[in-house]
Amino acid sequence: MIFGFNIIQGIAEDTAAAILKAAGTEPGQYTSQTPVNNAIRNLCVNRARNHYFLRVDVHAGVLLCGKETTDIQWVRPPDFDRLDESFRHHLSELFGNRCAESLLPLRNWTLWTLVYGMEIDAEHPGDLLRVLAHTDMPSAHLTPPAPEPREKSVSPRHLVYDAGSDDRKLFLYSKKDWLLNGKKDYRGGPVSPDADSENTLRLYLIQKRSDMGYAKRFLEKFEMSGDLYSFLHPLVVTDGFLRAYMKAIGNGDFYRYDRAMEIIDDLSHSGSRKLLTCLLQNIRQEGSVANARLASTDKRNFQKELKLLRTTGINGALIEEQSSMEHLSNPLD
């Protein structure tokens, strides 16, 4: 379930010179002129404090199965013996065997940016996306990214394999709308939606290594290194998803206001009923969880009350009152 990653390693001066010559670039300049079936999408040789470093953006799908895809391919723990060999082959295609063999195996490169995702089957995806806009999830992250003009030279900073300004952000949108929009995280011709994409949501997260503090305790506990291999451990990836999802969307199902109030009225503890009734009224008045938090004079207390509400199974983000639906399940709860 991984789109790709940006990785870096230190290299010798003669290796740097050979790579720059083969790529036809200068230090600090990215190149995206790579063959269509090469997993390395961009590469750049940097020079800092008299040391050279090589950074590359890697398409995990091509690295794994050797072809372009619109789907998320990496659903099992990777076989790094196979991937090391595949990675070296793609490096060799760009600047020859001698340079490729002088570089570290893939698993030992330092991770800089990780872009990973999953696909979720959801009933009533349109209604679900509308109610998610009433959480802390920015509305801009609930619609497919706009496609780059085909005639425009795409900067590596705008590719999905490198975070650019979008680090530490979660995105969730309709796969069908993404295909109709023409946005692609691969190279190829136009793609049309199929029946399987009708109720499918695409969820993906962009994170920099510096924002992966959640993984440090896990890595230390199991005496794992800080190399790429460790950060692609399934438990590290899953934990990253859950943390980002809980922060942006939270747990608990989504209800229309009247149905949520009925559930609260059934609570046995009168103090909790009054507290949660006021909270839900504030969210209804402000229009979203995010707006209610901003309007609150005690944001810490607001968060405690929201957590209490969600322990009852109510997310807090409300389905629009004119909707015929009164309940939607949280897709990742």
Side-chain angles (χ1 to χ4, degrees):
M1 59 178 187
I2 297 172
F3 289 104
F5 33 82
N6 180 277
I7 51 181
I8 187 171
Q9 72 153 286
I11 57 176
E13 185 174 352
D14 58 340
T15 302
I19 293 174
L20 288 170
K21 181 178 180 181
T25 59
E26 300 293 330
Q29 180 183 356
Y30 265 88
T31 176
S32 57
Q33 302 302 315
T34 58
V36 65
N37 287 325
N38 195 295
I40 298 168
R41 295 314 198 194
N42 307 279
L43 62 92
C44 175
V45 175
N46 285 325
R47 187 170 186 269
R49 297 180 181 178
N50 296 321
H51 293 284
Y52 286 92
F53 300 89
L54 175 61
R55 289 185 64 170
V56 297
D57 289 331
V58 181
H59 184 305
V62 174
L63 188 68
L64 185 67
C65 61
K67 63 180 180 181
E68 299 287 356
T69 176
T70 60
D71 296 315
I72 299 161
Q73 292 287 321
W74 207 319
V75 293
R76 297 187 183 126
D79 177 355
F80 265 91
D81 289 332
R82 177 184 169 191
L83 292 181
D84 285 339
E85 182 179 348
S86 175
F87 184 61
R88 181 164 286 128
H89 168 76
H90 290 294
L91 289 172
S92 298
E93 185 180 19
L94 298 181
F95 37 74
N97 290 331
R98 184 175 179 181
C99 282
E101 290 174 359
S102 70
L103 300 175
L104 294 172
L106 175 67
R107 73 186 78 191
N108 298 128
W109 285 56
T110 298
L111 176 67
W112 195 263
T113 305
L114 180 60
V115 183
Y116 48 105
M118 64 189 298
E119 292 182 348
I120 303 171
D121 292 328
E123 296 182 355
H124 313 291
D127 295 288
L128 182 61
L129 288 171
R130 280 192 289 275
V131 76
L132 291 180
H134 300 155
T135 64
D136 284 302
M137 189 81 167
S139 297
H141 293 186
L142 294 168
T143 56
E148 294 284 346
R150 293 188 64 86
E151 67 275 6
K152 181 180 177 181
S153 176
V154 182
S155 164
R157 299 295 93 189
H158 296 135
L159 294 178
V160 74
Y161 314 108
D162 195 13
S165 61
D166 290 329
D167 56 300
R168 304 186 298 279
K169 291 184 179 178
L170 185 75
F171 297 80
L172 178 63
Y173 50 78
S174 163
K175 181 179 179 181
K176 178 182 177 181
D177 290 347
W178 174 75
L179 292 171
L180 286 172
N181 199 26
K183 181 68 178 180
K184 294 176 283 290
D185 59 355
Y186 72 105
R187 302 176 189 182
V191 175
S192 301
D194 54 31
D196 292 338
S197 68
E198 188 72 33
N199 293 326
T200 302
L201 299 178
R202 292 173 61 94
L203 175 70
Y204 78 90
L205 180 66
I206 301 179
Q207 286 195 315
K208 284 186 177 180
R209 175 190 172 93
S210 58
D211 191 56
M212 293 183 181
Y214 66 88
K216 290 181 179 178
R217 183 177 299 176
F218 179 89
L219 299 179
E220 291 172 359
K221 180 178 179 180
F222 293 96
E223 298 181 349
M224 300 170 74
S225 70
D227 297 331
L228 175 66
Y229 181 87
S230 297
F231 282 101
L232 294 185
H233 191 286
L235 292 181
V236 174
V237 171
T238 303
D239 188 50
F241 255 132
L242 292 176
R243 286 173 180 265
Y245 188 92
M246 291 293 286
K247 182 177 180 181
I249 295 171
N251 62 309
D253 288 351
F254 306 99
Y255 293 91
R256 210 169 51 199
Y257 176 76
D258 54 352
R259 178 67 185 121
M261 290 298 290
E262 289 176 5
I263 296 173
I264 291 174
D265 286 341
D266 289 339
L267 296 177
S268 59
H269 195 284
S270 59
S272 295
R273 281 203 305 271
K274 183 176 181 181
L275 195 71
L276 298 183
T277 295
C278 291
L279 174 63
L280 212 58
Q281 288 173 343
N282 289 338
I283 293 174
R284 181 193 189 192
Q285 179 179 336
E286 297 298 334
S288 71
V289 172
N291 289 344
R293 180 183 285 105
L294 285 174
S296 173
T297 56
D298 189 343
K299 294 178 174 52
R300 186 174 181 180
N301 192 52
F302 176 90
Q303 195 62 31
K304 288 174 62 178
E305 293 176 2
L306 182 63
K307 185 177 180 180
L308 178 61
L309 178 67
R310 289 173 174 172
T311 61
T312 69
I314 301 172
N315 178 274
L318 297 169
I319 298 174
E320 295 166 347
E321 295 186 19
Q322 63 270 28
S323 173
S324 60
M325 304 191 68
E326 63 174 28
H327 170 253
L328 284 169
S329 298
N330 194 321
L332 212 65
D333 198 15

